Amino acid sequence: EQRTSRRLRRLLAMAATLAAVAVLAGALAMVQRNRADRSAVEAEDAELLADASRLAALALVDQRIDRALLTAAAGTGLADTPETRAGLVQTVQRAPFALRISRLPNEARPQRVVLSPDEELVAVIDNGARIHVLDAETLEERAALQTRDANFDLAFLPEGDLAIGVAEEDGAAIHVVDPLEPEARVARIGTSDPSPPAVSSDASGRLLLGVAVDPTGVTTTFTVWDRSSGRPVFTGQRTGIFHQTRLAPDGRSILAVTDTDLVAIDTTTGNDRWRRAGYRTIAVSPDGELVAATVDRGPQAQDRRYTSVAVVDLTSGAPVRTVEATAAVTALTFGRDTLLIGTDDGTEIWEVDGERRIRLRGQANQAGAVAVSADGADAWSVSLDGTVVRWDATARSSVIRRLD
């Protein structure tokens, strides 16, 4: 019995030793596994940080500001670090006053933008002869209309309808449409012109100006229509091409740009009210008192050739003041108390009295057309980089805004 007891004790001791060794081996394995897991997590974290840093760096060099903003935001979402935050802030600083950025579908390039009277819609013409009607705040597309000819014009009328100069199979016409249902035509004014007319209206919307250049470029025809009767109240013809035209708010003058001059034509007599040499792109103030025009300073001015903007009295043509933009001027429009100047390097907002308020930058190409709200709080610009941007036109310093 003693021998059996000793043998049992030895067996129990061996079993206990084996159990202790097994526990120790398990603990060592667990430690090694934890170390391996930590190493894998650390490797994943390092890879995540590297990816986030790459996104932050890419955002700073991407010429497409909308994509750059999304890239920078994605980098911060991937890893919220001082480096990615700095990349996001620097990217936002490239367009510090942009409230909303949109890109037209199918790589379309916007050519012109006009704002509806209630400031709820903007209409944009692209290079494919398509009209995009966008929500003015969100820039989401609300409606669209495909036209036949890329060389057409449009204008919002005071009641909110769109007047569009279009080409038809048997000539040209002005179509008046509901901007949210552009296929459903409200009215049509037929013309004898073969090319789509440029379109503008007086402040009341009663008078509508259509201007068309014949295919040979020899003559330009001006017709002012009474919308209530559908009949012309003034028709005139001039030799040469008129590149830009506007009907004055009171309907008494047509402002027209030739190859060399800006001329104000009396819609009663057809005679010139006044003529100014060297003026090109034009805008008319809402109250009908002022005209802004780019001044061609001649080839000797080189890079400063088209940077001057003259503000003149609409009635007399007398100069009121001149402002100097920082780059070549591509577009002009008036707000109630402001003048927007689109340039090769952003959009500038000036007080009508001649003081520059702010410069809006961020689009990769020139600001081809601009619009502004009546109170001057919001501005819109389109660029050949494909973007439509709504800007905070009153901010004096940059703020970080929500990025969608």
Side-chain angles (χ1 to χ4, degrees):
E1 290 183 3
Q2 291 179 354
R3 185 181 299 171
T4 302
S5 296
R6 284 196 298 271
R7 186 176 297 168
L8 287 173
R9 285 196 294 271
R10 283 197 297 270
L11 289 173
L12 288 171
M14 290 176 62
T17 302
L18 290 173
V21 170
V23 171
L24 180 60
L28 290 173
M30 183 68 71
V31 170
Q32 291 176 346
R33 187 183 305 114
N34 288 339
R35 287 177 178 174
D37 289 343
R38 282 197 300 270
S39 297
V41 170
E42 289 173 357
E44 289 178 1
D45 288 345
E47 185 176 354
L48 199 67
L49 286 172
D51 288 342
S53 297
R54 279 193 290 270
L55 288 174
L58 286 172
L60 295 177
V61 297
D62 194 338
Q63 292 299 307
R64 287 179 49 168
I65 185 61
D66 54 335
R67 187 170 59 194
L69 288 166
L70 291 173
T71 301
T76 305
L78 201 59
D80 190 355
T81 68
E83 182 180 0
T84 58
R85 287 184 182 184
L88 177 59
V89 170
Q90 290 178 53
T91 304
V92 171
Q93 291 293 341
R94 291 172 53 191
F97 306 110
L99 293 171
R100 189 74 61 168
I101 301 173
S102 179
R103 184 173 293 274
L104 295 184
N106 303 318
E107 300 297 323
R109 296 185 176 186
Q111 310 289 307
R112 189 167 173 217
V113 59
V114 290
L115 178 66
S116 65
D118 61 9
E119 300 179 359
E120 293 186 359
L121 302 172
V122 289
V124 177
I125 300 174
D126 72 20
N127 60 321
R130 190 171 182 82
I131 301 172
H132 305 263
V133 181
L134 311 179
D135 184 286
E137 181 178 358
T138 66
L139 300 184
E140 295 175 354
E141 187 164 287
R142 301 280 304 277
L145 177 67
Q146 185 66 49
T147 66
R148 294 169 53 91
D149 192 320
N151 297 315
F152 72 98
D153 194 18
L154 83 170
F156 271 108
L157 302 177
E159 72 272 17
D161 287 336
L162 265 178
I164 309 169
V166 299
E168 297 180 336
E169 293 182 0
D170 56 350
I174 298 173
H175 289 181
V176 179
V177 303
D178 180 337
L180 295 179
E181 297 181 1
E183 299 287 352
R185 193 170 62 208
V186 176
R188 177 186 180 277
I189 298 175
T191 75
S192 59
D193 305 305
S195 58
V199 181
S200 59
S201 77
D202 68 345
S204 69
R206 184 181 68 86
L207 300 177
L208 199 60
L209 170 65
V211 180
V213 180
D214 75 69
T216 65
V218 174
T219 58
T220 298
T221 301
F222 303 83
T223 306
V224 178
W225 303 84
D226 185 323
R227 290 179 60 203
S228 60
S229 66
R231 296 182 178 181
V233 295
F234 169 80
T235 300
Q237 196 171 76
R238 296 291 182 100
T239 301
I241 298 175
F242 286 74
H243 303 283
Q244 189 179 8
T245 56
R246 290 289 181 271
L247 184 63
D250 63 5
R252 298 174 57 192
S253 301
I254 298 171
L255 288 304
V257 177
T258 72
D259 287 331
T260 58
D261 302 321
L262 167 62
V263 58
I265 302 171
D266 189 308
T267 56
T268 303
T269 66
N271 298 326
D272 292 356
R273 289 181 178 271
W274 50 264
R275 181 180 290 265
R276 304 287 296 182
Y279 287 9
R280 302 185 67 82
T281 304
I282 59 170
V284 180
S285 64
D287 59 13
E289 294 183 0
L290 300 173
V291 178
T294 308
V295 180
D296 183 354
R297 300 168 64 182
Q300 68 277 5
Q302 299 180 355
D303 292 343
R304 305 295 298 174
R305 180 170 182 176
Y306 298 111
T307 59
S308 297
V309 176
V311 179
V312 302
D313 182 87
L314 189 151
T315 302
S316 65
V320 176
R321 67 184 57 87
T322 299
V323 300
E324 287 292 332
T326 55
V329 177
T330 55
L332 295 169
T333 194
F334 275 99
R336 184 183 300 155
D337 301 310
T338 57
L339 173 63
L340 259 69
I341 304 176
T343 76
D344 282 342
D345 189 22
T347 299
E348 300 179 12
I349 301 181
W350 292 71
E351 305 288 352
V352 173
D353 62 10
E355 178 185 358
R356 193 175 80 172
R357 177 193 294 178
I358 196 174
R359 188 178 182 189
L360 309 172
R361 302 177 71 182
Q363 291 170 294
N365 210 313
Q366 67 182 28
V370 291
V372 63
S373 61
D375 62 4
D378 293 305
W380 292 261
S381 66
V382 299
S383 171
L384 293 180
D385 68 359
T387 58
V388 182
V389 179
R390 179 170 73 92
W391 304 93
D392 182 349
T394 59
R396 298 283 182 168
S397 59
S398 171
V399 295
I400 305 300
R401 298 179 176 87
R402 178 171 62 88
L403 303 177
D404 293 334

